[in-house]
Amino acid sequence: MSFSSHVLDSVSGTPAERMRLRLHRLAGEVYEEVASGVTDSDGRLKGWELREGRYRLEFATGEYWQAKGFNTFHPEVTVTFTVDDDAAHYHVPLLVSPFAYTTYRGS
């Protein structure tokens, strides 16, 4: 299974470039980090391979907003999701501002 993410900055209306993401997979009762990366100039991160299981994707929103000179309510955004289809592509987009965010399962 392949994975991608796309982060958009709703303050500027542009891609959220250089946001750090970390991916953790549930192993027993604890989550273990399996990948990390930074969004590209289009706010995208892609190329991670996943297997079935439960994951936590952490977006370092606090670092991102601090670098832009904003205070933020959310120091990070964590999206927990389940991978259950070997043939599917998993896409997790994030629309962010300093005080709000939204996400969904993309395609």
Side-chain angles (χ1 to χ4, degrees):
M1 287 157 253
S2 61
F3 171 85
S4 61
S5 184
H6 189 200
V7 185
L8 296 173
D9 176 332
S10 67
V11 171
S12 65
T14 60
E17 184 178 359
R18 293 187 300 271
M19 184 179 288
R20 187 173 53 85
L21 280 68
R22 295 184 344 183
L23 182 68
H24 297 82
R25 185 173 188 278
L26 185 62
E29 296 185 16
V30 298
Y31 282 88
E32 296 177 349
E33 187 171 326
V34 295
S36 65
V38 176
T39 56
D40 64 16
S41 61
D42 195 34
R44 296 181 185 273
L45 187 146
K46 54 188 172 184
W48 290 348
E49 293 297 320
L50 307 182
R51 56 187 179 158
E52 289 186 3
R54 183 173 292 176
Y55 290 85
R56 272 194 190 149
L57 180 60
E58 295 177 359
F59 297 85
T61 53
E63 292 174 3
Y64 174 80
W65 291 117
Q66 182 178 15
K68 293 187 153 291
F70 287 90
N71 290 324
T72 182
F73 182 68
H74 304 284
E76 68 182 31
V77 170
T78 302
V79 178
T80 304
F81 62 98
T82 301
V83 170
D84 59 6
D85 182 352
D86 286 335
H89 172 74
Y90 287 79
H91 181 69
V92 179
L94 183 71
L95 178 64
V96 345
S97 77
F99 299 98
Y101 67 89
T102 188
T103 187
Y104 56 94
R105 180 176 178 184
S107 58

